[in-house]
Amino acid sequence: MNDQQQWRDRYAGALMNTFGPPRLVLARGSGARVWDADGKEYLDLFGGIAVNALGHGHPALVRAVTEQLETLGHVSNFFATEPQVALAERLLALLGAEGRVFFTNSGTEANEAAFKLTRRTGRTHLVATEGAFHGRTMGALALTAKEAYRAPFEPLPGHVTFVPYGDSAALAAAVTDETAAVVLEPVQGEAGVVVPPHGYLTAAREACDAHGALLWLDEVQTGIGRTGTWFAHQNPALSEPVRADVVTLAKGLGGGIPIGACVGLGEAATLLEPGNHGTTFGGNPVACAAALAVLDTIEAEGLLEESARLGKLLADVVEEPEQVVSVDAAGLFVGAQLAADNAARVVAVAQERGFLLNNTGPGRLRFAPPLTLGEPDLQEFADAWAGILGAADQPTTEDA
């Protein structure tokens, strides 16, 4: 029995079966590469679901976490720390607005905090979109459209209206004087990187302003350089400049260290008051130091520009074979629609050949590699891509 199988067996015996059997047991990583427990190497084009912005083992991140843990690891939120304050100030500066930050441990928790913040308006109605994913806790799940995720846990909190994503007229019609907030992903992630029409976020802002509702942008997947700008709603290729009331962040913010943030801007910054919400680990100095290192490194290494440049190259590579019907792309966030519903087979073949991909639906693929992806990495994938798709088209023993 190889090491991979031994670890799989131990996993099955010790962990709850919430994810099904793991595809691999990974042992180490470096840059855009990972190795499994048997020593096989893979190019990571998935990035831990858009988390590993700096790839694996980046020296700046390792150094920041090590130095902070050696200095001060945890103090609880009865006290403040320098990294916590500095990170909040940095995020507000990047957003270019006055506001306040509540730190969490994940995107789901950031969205849960934002959900509670909307209740402080005195309203309970929210507008979300079909295809949306905002998390798995009860509040965040109430805003997540996928029936398979929702059904086992209903009734869910809140009065939520779902409208088709990208349809400005449907969104405007759903917002009323009873609406607390409209929650949108500037680019849908779990749906497979779906880019809305230009002007969609502006129309959402206008609908919110007309009825006194908050505009809440979930940038958990799209934030921190993923689309070629710090935040997707700042990307002129995706939207005109738009003012958000609430922005939620996580994933790439910590580069692999768990951290999230609920950012209230303008008047929304004052809605949560002492006693309204809390967290033991949120904003701990180690996670905040990691996030500051991620932001510093993105700036120092020009990774916003690289995300935009390499994202275009990756989109061109993905789109070229005939098996790909269409591609949506925003920086190093690329979605591919396949002609056949064999996305899971494509992912399996790619893994066999040393590439980690992600399928979000029967015929949909999502690419979210590290922002540190190099051109040689991309060329290696380009050389293999047509062969992967061709092999995925071939009948398997299961098909016989």
Side-chain angles (χ1 to χ4, degrees):
M1 183 182 295
N2 60 25
D3 287 346
Q4 191 78 211
Q5 189 57 52
Q6 289 177 343
W7 282 110
R8 286 174 186 268
D9 291 345
R10 290 174 64 178
Y11 179 100
L15 280 87
M16 288 189 182
N17 188 28
T18 54
F19 302 108
R23 285 166 41 184
L24 288 170
V25 178
L26 297 177
R28 65 184 182 94
S30 179
R33 309 277 169 165
V34 292
W35 287 260
D36 68 21
D38 292 326
K40 182 177 177 180
E41 179 181 337
Y42 304 85
L43 178 62
D44 181 8
L45 296 173
F46 189 15
I49 318 182
V51 166
N52 299 318
L54 304 184
H56 302 272
H58 194 288
L61 184 59
V62 173
R63 183 168 57 251
V65 169
T66 301
E67 290 178 356
Q68 184 59 52
L69 193 56
E70 289 176 340
T71 304
L72 186 66
H74 176 73
V75 297
S76 87
N77 282 303
F78 285 109
F79 309 96
T81 66
E82 292 179 12
Q84 178 191 44
V85 176
L87 179 59
E89 292 173 340
R90 186 78 166 275
L91 291 175
L92 292 170
L94 293 175
L95 285 163
E98 295 288 329
R100 299 288 186 275
V101 181
F102 179 86
F103 287 117
T104 67
N105 307 289
S106 67
T108 292
E109 290 179 40
N111 284 336
E112 197 76 20
F115 195 129
K116 289 181 71 175
L117 182 151
T118 70
R119 286 291 179 92
R120 295 286 294 154
T121 65
R123 302 178 180 185
T124 60
H125 178 239
L126 295 108
V127 177
T129 60
E130 296 170 4
F133 180 82
H134 299 291
R136 303 285 196 131
T137 54
M138 294 294 278
L141 185 59
L143 302 167
T144 294
K146 192 170 183 178
E147 184 64 21
Y149 293 165
R150 297 167 55 88
F153 305 103
E154 291 176 335
L156 295 167
H159 172 202
V160 183
T161 299
F162 290 99
V163 297
Y165 185 70
D167 187 332
S168 297
L171 188 150
V175 182
T176 73
D177 291 343
E178 302 302 316
T179 303
V182 172
V183 54
L184 299 172
E185 297 163 272
V187 177
Q188 286 193 329
E190 182 81 2
V193 189
V194 178
V195 178
H198 206 272
Y200 181 59
L201 297 184
T202 301
R205 175 74 270 173
E206 292 171 352
C208 289
D209 289 344
H211 295 279
L214 303 175
L215 178 59
W216 162 8
L217 298 181
D218 179 341
E219 293 248 22
V220 168
Q221 289 196 49
T222 55
I224 317 301
R226 174 56 53 188
T227 71
T229 51
W230 283 113
F231 308 101
H233 73 276
Q234 297 174 337
N235 189 329
L238 300 175
S239 173
E240 301 92 348
V242 63
R243 173 180 56 84
D245 298 297
V246 181
V247 178
T248 46
L249 303 167
K251 291 194 180 289
L253 178 59
I257 302 299
I259 187 171
C262 171
V263 186
L265 302 170
E267 293 182 6
T270 65
L271 289 173
L272 288 178
E273 299 175 346
N276 286 164
H277 200 42
T279 172
T280 297
F281 296 105
N284 79 82
V286 176
C288 290
L292 286 166
V294 169
L295 299 179
D296 287 343
T297 303
I298 288 174
E299 285 188 341
E301 297 186 3
L303 296 182
L304 295 181
E305 296 79 8
E306 282 297 278
S307 177
R309 184 180 73 85
L310 288 173
K312 291 177 182 177
L313 295 178
L314 176 59
D316 288 344
V317 167
V318 171
E319 190 172 26
E320 185 174 353
E322 63 181 10
Q323 292 95 334
V324 179
V325 174
S326 63
V327 165
D328 281 349
L332 279 171
F333 206 33
V334 177
Q337 186 63 43
L338 303 177
D341 286 344
N342 66 340
R345 174 68 179 151
V346 171
V347 168
V349 172
Q351 181 174 303
E352 291 169 4
R353 299 188 179 194
F355 302 92
L356 300 186
L357 310 182
N358 170 238
N359 61 299
T360 62
R364 191 78 178 181
L365 297 171
R366 169 177 51 176
F367 298 81
L371 306 187
T372 53
L373 186 76
E375 284 198 37
D377 300 321
L378 185 54
Q379 187 59 54
E380 180 182 337
F381 174 65
D383 292 341
W385 181 225
I388 290 169
L389 290 171
D393 282 342
Q394 300 304 310
T396 66
T397 55
E398 289 82 2
D399 299 324

